[in-house]
Amino acid sequence: MFFKPISAAAAVALAASGMVSAQTSTKCNPLSTNCPADPAFGSERANCDFTQGACSAFQVLAGTTLDYNGNGAAFTIRQQNDAPTIATGRYIFFGRVDIVLQAAPGKGIVTSVVLQSDDLDEIDWEWIGSDNVEAQSNYFSKGDTSTYNRGAFHPVVNPTGSFHTYTIEWTPQIINWMIDGNSVRTLTPEQAKGGAAYPQTPMQIKLGTWVGGGTASAPGTVQWAGGYADFSAAPFVGYYKSISIVDYAGSDGPSFTSVNEYVYGDRSGSSKSIWSN
């Protein structure tokens, strides 16, 4: 049974702050108030080679210190409240993300690639440090964590000891999770409550490692993360080698027109309500 008490994006934020909660969070939720427009990638693609150092497409979040070497950006966990995280300052409105990474090893240690919107739509890749045979895919809609039956597990060889390419391609018609170019899962709007639970609003990309098996973590989180982390075995290091980000700007393929920002036209959270400038 897939059991996870909070979304990946919420867990990373809460781990970084030393808090534990069952609530997701957003700086401004456009479903309840008027929020600033989301800056768009638009026709400008991001191609980051972390073996060469930091990438301007990403912002380093508070409390994060990264090292860069031939393996890429090293996201290191040394103690319980460590949660090194970076996030894009711009958003995609449907699109494709390809990332080459080696997940962090260690019981209770989690590596996450998260696409998340202001109204808490979310699409994830996740790796448990003690599970060296699988990757996990997941999605959330509008911050709904009332059930935890949306996750799936996918075989992959030695994810904490070798690099693989993980892809999310997200269109109005389908979400496709891929490993090394091979599709391992698809989701259509019809499979997500007829589209009502289908992620469909502009998203940032967040990369991070965090402690799921912390002493202050919820029991369900600890169980999902494989148990309590043993910090006598620290440091635990995940490597992000490279990432490619392509914005589809509301369509089912790459945008070739200039788009500066995405605006929520109402409080429905529907893709049809989003307009671009």
Side-chain angles (χ1 to χ4, degrees), residues 26-111:
T26 176
K27 291 181 180 178
C28 184
N29 193 326
L31 301 187
S32 58
T33 189
N34 294 328
C35 297
D38 294 330
F41 277 97
S43 59
E44 185 176 342
R45 303 186 183 193
N47 290 289
C48 302
D49 179 357
F50 293 117
T51 68
Q52 301 302 307
C55 177
S56 62
F58 285 87
Q59 302 168 348
V60 177
L61 302 195
T64 296
T65 301
L66 302 180
D67 297 315
Y68 297 90
N69 56 39
N71 284 329
F75 286 62
T76 304
I77 301 283
R78 292 186 174 87
Q79 57 189 357
Q80 186 162 206
N81 289 339
D82 286 347
T85 308
I86 62 176
T88 58
R90 290 181 290 174
Y91 291 63
I92 62 173
F93 182 28
F94 304 112
R96 177 168 173 146
V97 177
D98 295 89
I99 184 161
V100 180
L101 67 82
Q102 178 176 296
K107 182 175 65 174
I109 306 302
V110 184
T111 302

Side-chain angles (χ1 to χ4, degrees), residues 11-214:
V12 169
L14 293 167
S17 65
M19 299 171 60
V20 176
S21 170
Q23 301 299 316
T24 53
S25 62
T26 176
K27 291 181 180 178
C28 184
N29 193 326
L31 301 187
S32 58
T33 189
N34 294 328
C35 297
D38 294 330
F41 277 97
S43 59
E44 185 176 342
R45 303 186 183 193
N47 290 289
C48 302
D49 179 357
F50 293 117
T51 68
Q52 301 302 307
C55 177
S56 62
F58 285 87
Q59 302 168 348
V60 177
L61 302 195
T64 296
T65 301
L66 302 180
D67 297 315
Y68 297 90
N69 56 39
N71 284 329
F75 286 62
T76 304
I77 301 283
R78 292 186 174 87
Q79 57 189 357
Q80 186 162 206
N81 289 339
D82 286 347
T85 308
I86 62 176
T88 58
R90 290 181 290 174
Y91 291 63
I92 62 173
F93 182 28
F94 304 112
R96 177 168 173 146
V97 177
D98 295 89
I99 184 161
V100 180
L101 67 82
Q102 178 176 296
K107 182 175 65 174
I109 306 302
V110 184
T111 302
S112 297
V113 173
V114 179
L115 280 61
Q116 189 185 44
S117 68
D118 294 343
D119 69 358
L120 302 176
D121 283 347
E122 183 175 325
I123 308 170
D124 303 332
W125 273 118
E126 297 165 288
W127 300 261
I128 303 300
S130 58
D131 181 357
N132 202 28
V133 296
E134 294 177 312
Q136 301 181 25
S137 62
N138 209 348
Y139 72 97
F140 293 84
S141 173
K142 310 299 183 284
D144 179 13
T145 56
S146 60
T147 60
Y148 303 97
N149 57 1
R150 294 177 292 270
F153 298 81
H154 313 287
V156 59
V157 177
N158 192 23
T160 67
S162 62
F163 286 93
H164 294 273
T165 302
Y166 301 92
T167 299
I168 295 171
E169 185 169 30
W170 166 49
T171 77
Q173 292 80 32
I174 197 167
I175 301 171
N176 190 5
W177 289 264
M178 292 174 268
I179 300 176
D180 295 329
N182 299 309
S183 178
V184 296
R185 181 184 184 184
T186 58
L187 178 79
T188 66
E190 291 71 23
Q191 294 169 320
K193 296 184 178 180
Y198 188 76
Q200 57 193 279
T201 47
M203 296 192 183
Q204 290 177 287
I205 295 91
K206 302 178 181 181
L207 312 178
T209 56
W210 53 283
V211 182

Side-chain angles (χ1 to χ4, degrees), residues 93-95 169-173 246-256:
F93 182 28
F94 304 112
E169 185 169 30
W170 166 49
T171 77
Q173 292 80 32
V246 182
D247 187 359
Y248 289 1
S251 68
D252 57 4
S255 172
F256 296 101

